[in-house]
Amino acid sequence: MGINTLLAGLPGWGIALIIVGAVLLLLAIIIIGWYISTHNKLIRMKNGVEEAFSTIDVYLKKRFDLIPNVVETVKGYAKHESETYQKITDARAKLGSATTPEEKIAADKQMTTAVRSLFAVAENYPQLKANTNFMDLQNQLKSMEGEIAQSRKYYNANVREFNIAIQSFPTSIVAKKMKLEKALLYEVDSVEERQNVKVSF
């Protein structure tokens, strides 16, 4: 018995019921497919944000290991700058104990400020500036700062895309079910970095 024969034997409301049922089933399949696709997309984006931050973390660790060598070299020439050394020690300890991205971002900002003050001290000691070991360490640190800045841009681009996705309707429905929250942008809030460079003669 063919499907046409089966449908011919049904009353009009029976055929309408089958059509409505088929449409609802198709709609359910589309919604489930969209949900799964959106869920997977958000997981990929979340992992992208975490991966981008882990790249920054690698450079932060390298800088963390390099700082004591820089400090010891500066100490050899500038023994009386104890306040600066204490700032570096505190910032390094904070960075070493930071576990969450938020804590690491805050600790990195403190470390960047402390490193700047260390190099400001070095400016007052011409013999130190002529030391090849110090110059090599300074160049390594500058290179690392550049890598951190590039990694920060990449991380922020991932965060921006992720935050837009979880706040946009209808993706926000899935994000809410997944309990996803906005990721933190790695912003520079140093006054020195935001201002124009002051040149004086």
Side-chain angles (χ1 to χ4, degrees):
M1 186 163 46
I3 194 150
N4 288 339
T5 313
L6 186 64
L7 289 173
L10 288 173
W13 60 267
I15 294 171
L17 198 60
I18 289 172
I19 292 171
V20 168
V23 168
L24 288 175
L25 180 63
L26 183 62
L27 196 58
I29 290 169
I30 290 169
I31 289 171
I32 290 168
W34 169 82
Y35 185 92
I36 291 169
S37 169
T38 303
H39 181 277
N40 291 342
K41 175 187 162 191
L42 290 174
I43 289 292
R44 277 193 304 276
M45 293 178 90
K46 181 175 179 282
N47 288 340
V49 168
E50 289 169 1
E51 178 196 347
F53 189 81
S54 71
T55 303
I56 294 173
D57 206 26
V58 167
Y59 291 114
L60 293 180
K61 284 176 184 163
K62 283 183 180 178
R63 185 178 64 178
F64 181 86
D65 294 336
L66 185 63
I67 292 291
N69 295 333
V70 178
V71 170
E72 285 307 311
T73 304
V74 174
K75 270 185 182 177
Y77 291 86
K79 294 179 173 57
H80 307 297
E81 305 287 347
S82 56
E83 187 182 336
T84 303
Y85 304 137
Q86 190 58 50
K87 282 180 188 173
I88 291 271
T89 303
D90 294 346
R92 192 170 180 271
K94 193 172 179 183
L95 190 58
S97 64
T99 53
T100 67
E102 291 81 6
E103 289 172 352
K104 287 181 182 183
I105 288 170
D108 175 49
K109 289 175 183 176
Q110 185 178 340
M111 176 61 84
T112 300
T113 303
V115 168
R116 277 203 189 97
S117 65
L118 182 67
F119 283 117
V121 163
E123 289 296 314
N124 299 325
Y125 296 88
Q127 295 139 329
L128 174 60
K129 285 166 49 178
N131 180 297
T132 53
N133 185 36
F134 175 74
M135 293 306 292
D136 179 50
L137 291 169
Q138 187 179 32
N139 288 334
Q140 285 182 54
L141 208 49
K142 280 182 181 173
S143 171
M144 219 165 288
E145 292 297 333
E147 296 290 351
I148 291 170
Q150 287 303 316
S151 301
R152 186 170 54 224
K153 284 179 191 172
Y154 176 66
Y155 168 78
N156 281 343
N158 278 276
V159 166
R160 208 168 285 114
E161 291 300 312
F162 175 74
N163 287 346
I164 289 168
I166 68 169
Q167 292 177 313
S168 300
F169 185 81
T171 310
S172 58
I173 297 167
V174 181
K176 203 170 199 175
K177 283 272 186 200
M178 294 171 69
K179 297 184 175 153
L180 295 176
E181 294 179 5
K182 275 180 72 176
L184 184 68
L185 281 168
Y186 201 142
E187 294 179 318
V188 176
D189 62 3
S190 161
V191 174
E192 299 91 8
E193 287 186 43
R194 288 190 184 277
Q195 288 175 344
N196 291 329
V197 177
K198 186 178 178 184
V199 180
S200 54
F201 297 98

